[in-house]
Structure formats: C-alpha cells, structure tokens
Amino acid sequence: MFTKRHLVEPGDFTIEEMDRLFDLAKRIEQDQGYLRESCRGKILATLFFEPSTRTRLSFESAMLRLGGTCLGFSEPSSSSVSKGESLADTIRVVSCYADVIVMRNPKEGAALLASRYATVPVINAGDGGHHHPTQTLTDLLTIRQLKGSIGGLTVGFCGDLKFGRTVHSLAKALSRYPAITMIFISPQELRVPCYITEGILKKAEIPYIETHSLEKVIADLDVLYMTRVQRERFFNEEDYIRLKDSYILNREKMDHAQDELIILHPLPRVNEIAPELDEDPRASYFKQAKYGMYVRMALLAAMLGTC
Ligand code: CP
C-alpha cells in the first residue's frame, strides 16, 4: 500500500492511509517493542540542505529504533553540492546507497524534483515555504490523540502564516476532515496565502476567518497552532525585527482560553510562547515532538514494507 511511493505533500496519502499510519503510531507508542528490528538491514539517507533538530533527529531515531541504520549530511557544505553537483545527480547517487531518502531543501518544488530522479522512496522534510508533510502527520496524530478525533474542531493558526510551510500543509490537510473551522491570526504582511484561502478553503466551503487579534478569538478555539516568525525567509532584517514579536502567548492571554484547548507548535519557538506556559496542561508542543517520532517510525516501516 505504501511501498514504491513518495511523500511530497500531505495530499499524497488518503485519509484512510493516514488513519492506518496513526493506528500504527499509536500501537508503537503503547508497545515500545512493536516493530523493533523490523527495518534491520535497511538504510535511511537524511539529506538536509537547511538546519533541523526535530525532523532529522526524529527520523534518525525512528530508523534506529526500527533496527535500521542512517547516513547523510546536515549541511550542504559537507556534500558535493558545494562543488556544484545538481540535486538530480545527488539524488540519483544517494538512491544507490540507501533504501529511503528524507530531504529538506530551501527551494519550493525540490522534493518533487527529487522524487522524479530517485529510484527509492523520497520523503519531503520541508521544501522552502511550500510543504512539510511529516510535520502534518505529526500534527494530525497529536490532535487525534489529544482531542479524540480530527473532525468538528475550531483550529486557530497564529503567527507567520505567509512563510510557514507547516501551516500551509496542515490547513490543506484539515480541509479534508469534516466540520473544521479555521481562524488565521497574523499581521497583514504575514497573512496566509490566497492559494490556501481562496484556492482550497473557499472552493471546499470550509468556514474560515482572518484576523490580527489573538485576544478576540482565543476563547473560540479547540486547537491553537502557534508559529515562529521565520527570520530566514525575510528579505530584510528591518521587517523581521518589526514583526517578530507580533504575538506572544502568555498566562494572561491563556486565562481567556478554554480548559480543553491544546496549544501546538511545530517548534523551534523563539518568543511566541512564554516559557511560563510550559507547565500549563494545555501546552502540548513537547508531546507533539514525541508523536513526531512515532509517526515517522510508522511511516518508515510502511514505506519500506516491513510491517
Ligand atoms: N518542526 C520542525 O520541522 O523542526 P526542525 O526544523 O527542528 O526540524
């Protein structure tokens, strides 16, 4: 079902396929010995042309826990890309050495291109401001585990909604679930792209609103998805400095939120969630990071056909 396929964007998998991965991830969480050693002899290549902590390390941890091994690079300067080798050639060659490739690249569309040249499955670990499908699997699994199901929720996205690929991927994925309402909270300059609101949500008749005020909407939310203002995607430093602290979630704001709200964040965070909230039972972002490892274990085992 999952073998001989690539994962470039969340829409590559059906809802039923994602449910199978979530069931598998849940089983792995409950029984830490389940699937251990199932990927013995398999090799994962992690090609990271941009920095990462969670995505790269959770994939590597996932493969090691499944009994496989990992190779790769975490910065392009240590690969022959720095000598001018094309992405296509890099992927062709790494396909000879590994059974599955996980790649992050700053260029939108890079994962799709890689999938065309690879002879093994390619998993997109983030392509510019475009997509981050395994973060979406992480986010959906976290919502399902903590809220009981993915439908019937009001989900707020707050912060940098223009460049935030995790927001784009999650909004697109949530539009496939029933009775979802989305609230986009951002400064004018960092609004969610029209291709999401006009191109996907409006066409699918998904209710959404856009606002700049977190205070006005926080009481309505079941899920609050906070995001970092991404310095690396700005063209000038002045704009970044002006916008970076647009939203800081703290105890005072959380006093107006529901007791059952869950706060998610793909991480890394900078200033947008005050550390004083880390002990709040609604703060779920570190649990979310752990679910990321379980769902990546499920994904690797499924794509390699070992479960
Ligand atoms: N959420 C996420 O993609 O984190 P990293 O950039 O650390 O991989």
Side-chain angles (χ1 to χ4, degrees), residues 249-281:
L249 188 65
N250 55 19
R251 265 197 209 119
E252 196 187 332
K253 291 194 182 84
M254 284 300 290
D255 282 345
H256 304 283
Q258 298 173 19
D259 290 343
E260 297 75 28
L261 171 81
I262 58 169
I263 308 166
L264 302 184
H265 191 311
L267 303 177
R269 86 173 136 182
V270 185
N271 288 330
E272 59 279 2
I273 301 179
E276 66 188 16
L277 287 182
D278 293 353
E279 303 311 317
D280 187 310

Side-chain angles (χ1 to χ4, degrees), residues 67-114:
T69 49
C70 309
L71 50 78
F73 53 82
S74 56
E75 46 181 286
S77 61
S78 63
S79 78
S80 286
V81 171
S82 63
K83 299 179 206 160
E85 185 169 47
S86 69
L87 181 61
D89 284 1
T90 302
I91 293 294
R92 278 189 183 112
V93 170
V94 175
S95 292
C96 304
Y97 305 150
D99 300 292
V100 55
I101 296 172
V102 172
M103 186 185 81
R104 173 172 290 182
N105 193 287
K107 292 197 181 126
E108 298 180 4
L112 183 62
L113 186 142

Side-chain angles (χ1 to χ4, degrees), residues 52-55 104 132 135 266-267:
S52 166
T53 296
R54 273 145 296 275
T55 311
R104 173 172 290 182
H132 191 348
Q135 182 64 47
L267 303 177

Side-chain angles (χ1 to χ4, degrees), residues 160 163 228-241 244 270:
D160 176 357
F163 298 114
R228 171 177 70 98
V229 174
Q230 300 183 66
R231 181 181 219 149
E232 65 273 27
R233 312 241 181 261
F234 275 78
F235 291 111
N236 75 68
E237 185 74 2
E238 277 166 31
D239 284 349
Y240 169 72
I241 289 168
K244 72 184 173 72
V270 185

